[in-house]
């Protein structure tokens, strides 16, 4: 295992030190492991909180700031945060207008956020929860823990953050976040596994000519193994899977996301294929993101996320945002 | 079971988790996200520390304190599930100072119920429930023979239950994302539950 | 070689297709291989052009836009662009107030830009050239081709772009770019080699416990091989090298740059070490960047760039910029 | 050397570059950036295409057109250096239709001068100059024996010059960044220059 770290067990704590040093607009509570806006919560504004295991950077801490999250609770690598920590984030985000929890659909995240919401309610903070579950690689049935939350989380954080910033109430902010989730689907492909620092070795082995299709963001194997193929085919596989689940038409917001170790030049090659797949299916791109937004440590690969945004959602997307990882309009 | 025995149980569980952390993590790496051993070690170390700082006076409060520490330090799925299970078990013991085998059995029943209420997993879903449920049944069936015998039976059943998860397809937790590819691997949570019952058997035989 | 590409020889062309699709604010001339602002050159404004081999993304194309570059000429992977192409970029940037060429100090880049400048002068475009050479790993002597241009390029492009945007004349824009270069130093460390797509294998082999110290951005081995060490030590090695060449004091602009395959969480861990090294040496950080800005394909590793900015340079740094890879203030 | 022979030279050079591209790239990967073979192949293919599209009428214009194509299609350090070298060589031949061995020798001298003017490399700096300079001397020394003999001598000297770069420490180009670590590797540009002279020897012996 070759990593630019000091000690495997200190990665999260030290990365938070680095974030604090790099971003004066952020406040980092090292004891509680909470990243929030340096200015504190905005009174009268709905707070937007997310969190989950670390290893997905810039998600979530990199999305804290004006127009997006108020606070994030980063757990250990791939381990959901604990209720006390989520409560601390909720408190840091609380402007007395209620707090939205944006939770990726993993058993651990859902349970810990649920416990935190109960604790918050004991402290008279109103909490609404929207669970994100956009990964079409997993069937949503009684035979699974339900679909994983992946790329739609970035979209939901942006849109909910904009709605909250504009003065929308808790129910309204939760509604747009839920709508983003309903209208967004994702699919991921790994070219290499990743290595959890404390595990020291990859979760699976892949041959030089193999890929994993239908991966999540926790280094788990995908739904099935496939052959390494040109970007065109891998992208088509992902787009077809999204399209089969949620037929695409009209105009969409699309994110071509890198898993952490895939260089930008390759992401652009893949995005060219996304764009031509969409064009070939008569779908136009309203907005796009190409880059590393929700990663899986040092995994090479990509995921594609497509959202069928309404005009309202697109307007919220375009609203100013000022965070370490997403910034426009100010 | 008095408070010392219950403390010894938790301590032994923590030791076993520590010793087997790499195996638990490796099991989780195969069908999950490779953190179960690290999570359980962190959680149980916190529990042991908490128990050391303010030593509880009854077996029930040992389990409640352990549960609280697990909830606030473990994270992941296992943290809330084990945490809730321990708290429910502890509460079932009320403030008894010396729990009989039957009372310990009832506490284990409460633990299972707590985990199932929260996690909604049934037997056969390839989770910790597949180790705990047969352990609870075995414990209850042998409770008449005394705590040590019941614990031994429960440990055996839990270990078998854990191994029996190998051919199952997961329907709960991360492993369920793999669909059929989850078949052929032991569930890490079931493996850690087997350690919990082994710890109980060891401390009760010794005492 | 596992890459998210279609064919090794098409990587640059296809990545440019992806860039064009992703960024409506950019115009991509596929025939000449030029990336420029969609709005065309600004009349009366000095044009700022850079270019060089591809494989360093987002450099340079990702820095085209308001407040930074007017046009970029991306060559083949690690191969400097050709004179005609640089001329086309120069023409695309020409607002009749002269054009600045920002050239990284590599023989190929220097020679091709020099030829292009001659061609541009034939077409009555006034060209000034600033060569960037900030890499302290290379001694600047008659025994080398001189120091390599690395991270200072990002700083120079930002500052020169801001000066040009504010109406400064060609000599003035060249002056601030040269000043940035004079006041900036860099040092890089590789944890893994990278693979040039058409070569298909790494330029060097590194053991599991080895690193290359003093690397450039072209996958070449460094000045020497070292042992894999904690981030703290690798960062200290880099900072010491910079400090030995240009003693640091006062307030600096610092960039902790990823080489392409190093995930953000590791870059933050490393940045925490940069921040504490600086603090330990009584140096304060005026501004910082942490992320992938000037990469070397799929190499894992980092480089650190430190600039002793004057107030004037810092003001230009803070000026609004709107490019795919660097954006603030609008 | 008439126009046909000069065209044949360029064609053979392109073929040799194509056949040896992987070796040139591998040499460059060791002490440079792993693109020299790909660069030279792209450049010479463009040159051959340009020569095919509008066939020049004199040896000099063959070389000038080759140089122009190399400058505009090769990129890297080799593009401007070879491009300038070929253009200078071509211009040295003026509009001669049949260049004598001595005239070809003068063209090679001009090529070397062009490359050195632009790149400022001296012999011993571990560049293409280390193959070209001895080749030019050898050619001139044997020019009296006719073109084929001179070319053969030059090819031999260039090949030896290329191999002799192995123990040198680079002082120009990318390899110079490696300092002492550049020692022990053959310079890729010297290797491609050796191919240029080999091509000349082959076409002149055949003709
Ligand atoms: N719904 C559930 N009910 C019971 N146990 C579960 C459930 N989901 C997961 N588990 C157990 O949790 C274990 C994984 O724990 P851990 O790795 O610590 O958490 P995470 O999956 O969040 O990384 C699984 O092996 C399984 O036994
Ligand atoms: N200043 C110079 N003078 C002469 N030849 C040079 C000089 N710099 C580099 N070269 C030659 O160019 C070769 C490298 O060419 P190439 O790999 O195509 O370009 P780049 O180094 O830009 O990638 C070197 O092996 C060397 O022979
Ligand atoms: Mg986990
Ligand atoms: Mg796990
Ligand atoms: Mg090159
Ligand atoms: Mg080269």
């Amino acid at each position: 295992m070759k990593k630019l770290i000091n000690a495997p067990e200190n990665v999260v704590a030290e990365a938070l030190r680095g974030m604090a040093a790099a971003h004066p607009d952020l406040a980092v509570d090292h004891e509680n492991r909470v990243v929030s806006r340096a200015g504190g919560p905005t009174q009268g504004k709905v707070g937007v909180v997310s969190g989950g295991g670390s290893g997905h950077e810039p998600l979530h801490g990199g999305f804290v700031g004006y127009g997006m999250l108020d606070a994030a609770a980063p757990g250990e690598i791939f381990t959901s945060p604990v209720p006390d920590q989520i409560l601390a984030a909720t408190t840091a985000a609380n402007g007395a207008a209620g707090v939205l929890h944006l939770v990726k659909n993993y058993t651990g995240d859902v349970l810990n956020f649920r416990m935190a919401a109960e604790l918050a309610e004991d402290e008279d903070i109103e909490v609404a929860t929207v669970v994100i579950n956009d990964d079409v690689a997993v069937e949503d049935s009684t035979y699974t823990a339900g679909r994983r939350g992946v790329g739609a989380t970035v979209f939901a954080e942006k849109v909910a953050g904009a709605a909250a910033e504009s003065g929308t109430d808790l129910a309204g902010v939760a509604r747009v976040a839920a709508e983003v989730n309903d209208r967004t689907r994702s699919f991921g492909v790994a070219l290499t596994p990743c290595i959890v620092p404390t595990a020291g070795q990859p979760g699976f082995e892949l041959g030089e000519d193999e890929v994993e299709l239908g991966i999540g963001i926790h280094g788990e194997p995908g739904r099935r193994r496939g052959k390494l193929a040109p970007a065109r085919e891998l992208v088509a596989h992902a787009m077809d899977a999204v399209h089969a689940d949620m037929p695409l038409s009209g105009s969409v917001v699309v994110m071509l996301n890198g898993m952490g170790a895939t260089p930008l030049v390759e992401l652009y090659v893949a995005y060219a294929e996304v764009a031509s797949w969409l064009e070939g299916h008569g779908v136009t791109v309203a907005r796009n993101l190409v880059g590393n937004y929700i990663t899986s440590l040092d995994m090479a690969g990509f995921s594609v996320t497509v959202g069928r945004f309404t005009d309202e959602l697109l307007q919220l997307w375009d609203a100013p945002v000022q965070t370490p990882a997403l910034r426009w309009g100010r | 079971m008095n408070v010392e025995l219950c403390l010894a149980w938790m301590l032994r569980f923590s030791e076993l988790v520590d010793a087997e952390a790499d195996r638990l993590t490796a099991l989780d790496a195969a069908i999950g996200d490779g953190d179960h051993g690290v999570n359980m070690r962190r959680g149980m170390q916190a529990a042991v520390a908490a128990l050391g700082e303010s030593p509880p006076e009854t077996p029930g409060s040992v389990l409640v304190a352990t549960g609280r520490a697990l909830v606030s330090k473990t994270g992941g799925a296992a943290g809330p599930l084990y945490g809730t299970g321990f708290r429910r078990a502890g509460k079932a013991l009320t403030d008894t100072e010396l729990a009989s085998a039957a009372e310990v059995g009832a506490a284990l029943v409460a633990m299972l119920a707590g985990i199932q209420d929260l996690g909604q997993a049934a037997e056969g879903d390839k989770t910790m429930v597949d180790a705990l449920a047969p352990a609870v049944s075995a414990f209850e069936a042998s409770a008449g023979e005394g705590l040590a015998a019941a614990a031994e039976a429960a440990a055996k059943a839990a270990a078998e239950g854990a191994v029996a998860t190998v051919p199952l397809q997961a329907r709960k937790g991360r492993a369920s994302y793999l669909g059929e590819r989850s078949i052929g691997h032991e569930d890490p949570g079931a493996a850690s539950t087997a350690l919990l019952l082994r710890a109980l058997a060891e401390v009760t035989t010794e005492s």
Side-chain angles (χ1 to χ4, degrees), chain A residues 17-87:
Chain A
R17 280 209 298 127
M19 279 204 86
H23 306 297
D25 286 355
L26 298 182
V28 178
D29 173 348
H30 294 281
E31 205 192 310
N32 286 307
R33 295 253 171 108
V34 170
V35 178
S36 61
R37 301 190 194 177
T42 310
Q43 283 310 308
K45 184 184 91 63
V46 169
V48 184
V49 168
S50 193
S54 293
H56 311 303
E57 292 68 23
L59 189 89
H60 299 273
F63 296 131
V64 172
Y66 181 87
M68 214 159 163
L69 299 181
D70 291 275
E76 284 297 329
I77 300 284
F78 292 172
T79 301
S80 52
V82 293
D84 298 357
Q85 179 186 2
I86 301 169
L87 175 64

Side-chain angles (χ1 to χ4, degrees), chain A residues 101-182:
Chain A
H101 283 181
L102 286 171
V103 184
K104 302 194 296 302
N105 190 35
Y106 301 98
T107 308
D109 292 52
V110 169
L111 297 182
N112 283 285
F113 267 93
R114 189 189 301 162
M115 291 186 155
E118 284 165 17
L119 297 174
E121 266 153 35
D122 290 352
E123 301 194 4
D124 285 327
I125 304 177
E126 193 187 352
V127 172
T129 300
V130 171
V131 175
I132 308 294
N133 59 347
D134 56 312
D135 185 354
V136 302
V138 177
E139 280 157 68
D140 189 8
S141 78
T142 48
Y143 297 105
T144 67
R147 287 189 159 166
R148 297 177 286 222
V150 288
T153 316
V154 178
F155 288 8
E157 291 180 4
K158 171 66 185 82
V159 165
E165 215 69 65
S166 76
T168 308
D169 66 10
L170 181 58
V173 175
R175 178 183 62 76
V176 293
E179 212 170 321
V180 166
N181 183 56
D182 288 348

Side-chain angles (χ1 to χ4, degrees), chain B residues 31-187:
Chain B
I31 55 170
D33 58 352
D35 62 359
H36 188 59
V38 180
N39 290 350
M40 291 303 296
R41 176 191 276 154
R42 184 177 54 244
M44 282 309 297
Q45 280 177 352
V48 167
L51 294 171
E53 266 171 38
S54 43
E57 302 193 341
T58 60
S61 49
V62 169
L63 298 183
V64 169
T66 300
R68 208 152 24 204
L70 286 177
V71 165
S72 60
K73 295 294 176 193
T74 314
L81 289 165
Y82 274 120
T84 300
F86 276 102
R87 270 166 28 187
R88 290 273 205 103
K91 285 181 186 161
L93 290 178
T94 64
D95 52 5
T96 320
E97 298 204 345
L98 193 69
S100 67
E103 283 168 326
V104 173
L108 290 176
V109 168
M111 176 180 282
L112 176 61
I115 288 173
Q116 288 192 298
D117 283 355
L118 193 64
Q120 298 290 320
E123 271 188 84
D125 283 355
K126 195 172 184 129
T127 71
M128 52 177 70
V129 169
D130 293 328
L132 188 55
V136 170
S137 305
F139 190 100
E140 296 230 281
S142 316
E145 299 161 35
L147 184 57
E152 190 52 50
K156 194 164 163 284
E160 285 167 6
V163 171
T165 61
V166 172
L168 298 177
Q169 175 169 343
R171 286 193 289 232
K172 281 281 180 284
R174 279 176 202 292
S176 71
Y177 303 139
L178 300 189
E180 293 183 356
R181 294 178 79 183
S182 64
I183 292 172
H185 300 273
E186 184 174 339
D187 177 65

